[in-house]
């Protein structure tokens, strides 16, 4: 039983599993070719960044960039940088 727990904990913390979990949020954009942008919008209580992913329709990059540009000053993410 101890060996099984060791294997499970190793698999849970493997870099490949971490990478797979991270790309699972963006793969649908990569597969469909939809334009997407990620914006930092908040910091957690522990100081970790929290972001929002915006996705536009096909060929709507300009709309997406305008929206992201309009949201940046509203969210105030530049004030969230560590050390400031």
């Amino acid at each position: 039983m101890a060996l099984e727990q060791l294997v499970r904990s190793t698999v849970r913390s493997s870099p490949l599993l971490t990478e797979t979990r991270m790309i699972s949020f963006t793969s649908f954009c990569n597969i469909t070719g939809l334009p997407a942008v990620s914006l930092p919008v908040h910091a957690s209580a522990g100081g970790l960044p929290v972001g929002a992913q915006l996705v536009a329709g096909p060929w709507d990059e300009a709309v997406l960039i305008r929206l992201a540009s309009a949201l940046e000053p509203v969210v105030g993410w530049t004030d969230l940088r560590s050390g400031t």
Side-chain angles (χ1 to χ4, degrees):
M1 188 68 153
L3 179 59
E4 182 179 322
Q5 289 174 343
L6 176 63
V7 169
R8 284 186 182 173
S9 67
T10 303
V11 170
R12 270 191 226 128
S13 63
S14 75
L16 181 58
L17 183 59
T18 300
E19 184 175 323
T20 303
R21 286 179 177 159
M22 291 184 340
I23 65 171
S24 66
F25 294 107
T26 61
S27 60
F28 74 95
C29 293
N30 296 337
I31 292 169
T32 61
L34 295 175
V37 65
S38 179
L39 292 175
V41 295
H42 184 61
S44 70
L48 296 174
V50 177
Q53 182 179 13
L54 308 175
V55 180
W59 309 106
D60 278 341
E61 288 89 348
V63 171
L64 186 63
I65 291 170
R66 283 196 304 270
L67 177 60
S69 180
L71 285 175
E72 281 181 337
V74 173
V75 177
W77 65 270
T78 55
D79 299 332
L80 300 176
R81 287 184 284 189
S82 62
T84 59

